[in-house]
Amino acid sequence: MSDNSHDQHEAHTGPVKTPKQMLLLSLASFIIPVFIIIGLVFYVTSANKTAPGASDAEKSVALRIQKVGTVEIRDANRPLKSGEEVYKAQCAACHAIGAAGAPKFADTGAWGARIKQGLETLVTSALKGKNAMGAQGGGDFNDTEIARSVVYMANNAGAKFEEPKAPAAEGEKK
């Protein structure tokens, strides 16, 4: 009978057998939820941090809500830049070192086949872009200035192209 009463007593007890286990279970039941709450708070607030380089919130908002199109007014009567000036300002970044397959400045071997295609083909490639070179038309320089830079580069590689003149203004007679 004592074995039977021992089995009944064992059936009514829980997993906690000692006071030490009870103390650890009580601490864990408070500590684990606290860490879970801290983790959730960190997760939720981390989304509100600004990205690196976006510390000027006012400027970034202005950029996001700006109008799609912009109007830029340029002086159409300004004197045109020479081919050398345009080359130094825009073309030299790639053509001076031959970056991304660009023919190096004054490299007759690299420019030879291109010069044989003619000035019009070279200017079209410069304005519309070719291979790794992006389109230069519509940038900081007008089409005549880009053509002048093409002539400058090609002539320094052995071509004998004539530098384009400024287009006649409307209403002027030749």
Side-chain angles (χ1 to χ4, degrees):
M1 181 147 182
S2 68
D3 284 340
N4 193 13
S5 71
H6 179 66
D7 287 339
Q8 285 179 345
H9 180 40
E10 193 68 33
H12 292 287
T13 61
V16 179
K17 306 279 189 225
T18 65
K20 183 178 179 182
Q21 288 177 338
M22 184 62 173
L23 180 63
L24 290 174
L25 185 61
S26 297
L27 286 174
S29 66
F30 288 110
I31 293 174
I32 292 173
V34 168
F35 281 113
I36 290 173
I37 291 170
I38 290 172
L40 287 172
V41 168
F42 179 74
Y43 175 72
V44 170
T45 59
S46 67
N48 294 333
K49 294 180 182 174
T50 57
S55 60
D56 189 0
E58 200 171 298
K59 181 179 177 185
S60 62
V61 168
L63 287 173
R64 284 194 305 269
I65 63 171
Q66 75 177 353
K67 294 179 182 175
V68 174
T70 59
V71 176
E72 185 176 332
I73 300 173
R74 294 185 181 182
D75 183 6
N77 297 320
R78 70 170 172 81
L80 294 177
K81 303 282 185 197
S82 71
E84 182 178 5
E85 290 173 309
V86 175
Y87 167 78
K88 287 179 180 176
Q90 188 162 327
C91 308
C94 295
H95 286 281
I97 59 173
K104 284 186 176 182
F105 182 76
D107 182 353
T108 55
W111 280 94
R114 290 170 174 88
I115 292 171
K116 288 179 186 172
Q117 294 175 354
L119 178 61
E120 188 175 322
T121 303
L122 287 171
V123 171
T124 300
S125 294
L127 292 174
K128 294 184 178 180
K130 185 172 183 177
N131 299 332
M133 180 179 72
Q136 303 301 311
D140 291 338
F141 301 102
N142 70 25
D143 292 358
T144 304
E145 291 170 319
I146 296 295
R148 286 180 171 186
S149 70
V150 170
V151 169
Y152 173 75
M153 288 187 285
N155 286 350
N156 276 283
K160 303 285 186 227
F161 296 133
E162 186 178 325
E163 186 175 88
K165 303 291 181 220
E170 284 186 42
E172 282 187 31
K173 299 195 180 198
K174 289 188 176 182

